[in-house]
Amino acid sequence: MWGLADPWFLVLLPLPLLVMTLSGRGSEGGDALIVPDAIGARLSGASGGLGAARMARYMPLLIWVLLVLALAGPRKVIPSLAAPTTGREVVLAIDLSGSMVRKDFSVDNQTVTRLDAVKHVATEFIKRRAGDRVALVLFGSQAYFATPQTYDVNAVARAIDAATIGVSGRATAISEALGLSLKRLSGSEATSKVVVLLSDGVNNSGPVRPRDAAELARQHGVRVHTIAMGDKDYDPATRARDAVDTATLAAIADISGGRSFRIRTTEELQQVADEIDKLEGNDADGPAAELYRDFWIWPAGVGFLLLVGLMVALSRARA
């Protein structure tokens, strides 16, 4: 089915006629566009008389129509790619701090870094979220959206696989990652809003306390499931390095109405992903997500070629 992305641009179509009317030129013979007599005579003589003159008058109007049509964004629904929606939005927030480089996990009987283990499980987890509107937040010293909210779960999976430690600093801004996730979800009208936050460290960057961010999540109806990754618990008395703040992550989940998990192995990480799948079942209960193929390039391209042709014709007429 065909449609327009921004149909309100069509109100610009009568603008040239309105300008002509206000300038008082619309009464001069009813011509759509007035050109100098010398140019009109040369176009008439060189290109077939009356037809060339009409081209000079009406071509700009046709170009304007094509330009407005391109701005309106003609597009077509792609039924084969439409996916049933669940009415749920999920943000996956993954820690990219320096400690994620530690090799203490195993995948296929090979010792890998924590980040590689997360990639192995998280990509499959995201691919199973078909029908959810998902996004990816990566955080170190700062947090940023690696992908916006989208129904294209495969694109989010590719972004997870391409994640690299160090691109956002080597500290751990848990509260900033949670705050950035909430900024996008708080205004959403989704029936279910979820953040899955995974970290292997202690919040040591950003001005906001994680518990305050969790309280904000509760106020906006956002559940936060937290995953504490690592075999050493953080102790405020000793401030041991390479320890995970399980207490804070558990508090975030408890305040927001989510669940907290603690993992030490890849198998436990997979079990957590399966458990969150059960908590946030993705049975389709909404209308199909409409995906579109844009065709604005065609009227824009034709309009550009016509404009070039008109400019060439006018330049020859002046010569």
Side-chain angles (χ1 to χ4, degrees):
M1 183 174 64
W2 288 88
L4 297 173
D6 299 296
W8 61 270
F9 272 112
L10 297 180
V11 301
L12 298 176
L13 282 175
L15 185 58
L17 298 177
L18 179 62
V19 171
M20 291 171 58
T21 301
L22 294 177
S23 64
R25 302 184 65 178
S27 60
E28 299 181 14
D31 294 327
L33 181 67
I34 304 300
V35 298
D37 292 338
I39 295 177
R42 294 199 179 196
L43 284 172
S44 299
S47 304
L50 185 59
R54 286 181 176 175
M55 180 189 73
R57 293 190 181 101
Y58 296 114
M59 188 68 72
L61 185 58
L62 176 59
I63 293 172
W64 176 257
V65 171
L66 291 170
L67 174 61
V68 172
L69 182 59
L71 290 174
R75 61 184 184 177
K76 185 178 182 181
V77 176
I78 309 175
S80 60
L81 297 181
T85 61
T86 63
R88 181 184 300 108
E89 294 207 16
V90 178
V91 176
L92 179 60
I94 297 179
D95 189 345
L96 286 186
S97 60
S99 55
M100 289 291 285
V101 77
R102 291 186 61 185
K103 286 189 174 184
D104 54 2
F105 275 71
S106 176
V107 174
D108 296 331
N109 296 321
Q110 293 185 346
T111 302
V112 298
T113 67
R114 295 178 178 182
L115 180 58
D116 287 334
V118 170
K119 287 181 179 181
H120 178 74
V121 175
T123 51
E124 293 304 317
F125 169 75
I126 284 295
K127 288 178 180 179
R128 294 201 299 264
R129 306 312 305 175
D132 290 351
R133 195 163 177 250
V134 297
L136 174 65
V137 168
L138 301 176
F139 67 96
S141 303
Q142 296 179 328
Y144 68 96
F145 267 96
T147 65
Q149 289 103 319
T150 177
Y151 291 107
D152 190 351
V153 293
N154 290 319
V156 179
R158 289 193 296 270
I160 294 172
D161 197 52
T164 304
I165 294 174
V167 296
S168 56
R170 303 181 75 84
T172 309
I174 294 176
S175 57
E176 186 172 337
L178 185 52
L180 184 61
S181 302
L182 294 178
K183 185 176 181 180
R184 293 289 183 91
L185 291 177
S186 60
S188 170
E189 297 181 357
T191 57
S192 177
K193 296 175 282 189
V194 180
V195 175
V196 180
L197 189 150
L198 183 148
S199 178
D200 72 337
V202 180
N203 183 72
N204 54 20
S205 180
V208 180
R209 297 192 312 162
R211 285 178 171 82
D212 292 338
E215 176 61 29
L216 185 62
R218 184 190 66 79
Q219 294 174 9
H220 287 284
V222 179
R223 292 187 305 280
V224 183
H225 302 305
T226 60
I227 303 173
M229 189 173 186
D231 55 4
K232 187 187 299 184
D233 289 332
Y234 175 72
D235 185 350
T238 61
R239 295 180 179 273
R241 298 183 60 185
D242 296 329
V244 58
D245 192 352
T246 52
T248 295
L249 291 175
I252 291 172
D254 183 62
I255 293 171
S256 65
R259 288 275 304 276
S260 62
F261 303 91
R262 173 67 183 277
I263 61 171
R264 298 176 179 83
T265 66
T266 308
E267 289 72 20
E268 290 177 344
L269 180 59
Q270 183 63 63
Q271 291 171 6
V272 167
D274 295 339
E275 182 65 23
I276 293 177
D277 259 342
K278 294 177 182 178
L279 292 173
E280 307 295 342
N282 60 349
D283 293 335
D285 54 13
E290 293 185 339
L291 301 181
Y292 297 92
R293 178 173 297 166
D294 293 320
F295 289 91
W296 63 267
I297 188 66
W298 294 104
V302 173
F304 175 75
L305 292 176
L306 291 178
L307 178 61
V308 171
L310 180 61
M311 292 175 64
V312 171
L314 291 177
S315 64
R316 288 180 177 177
R318 291 192 184 99

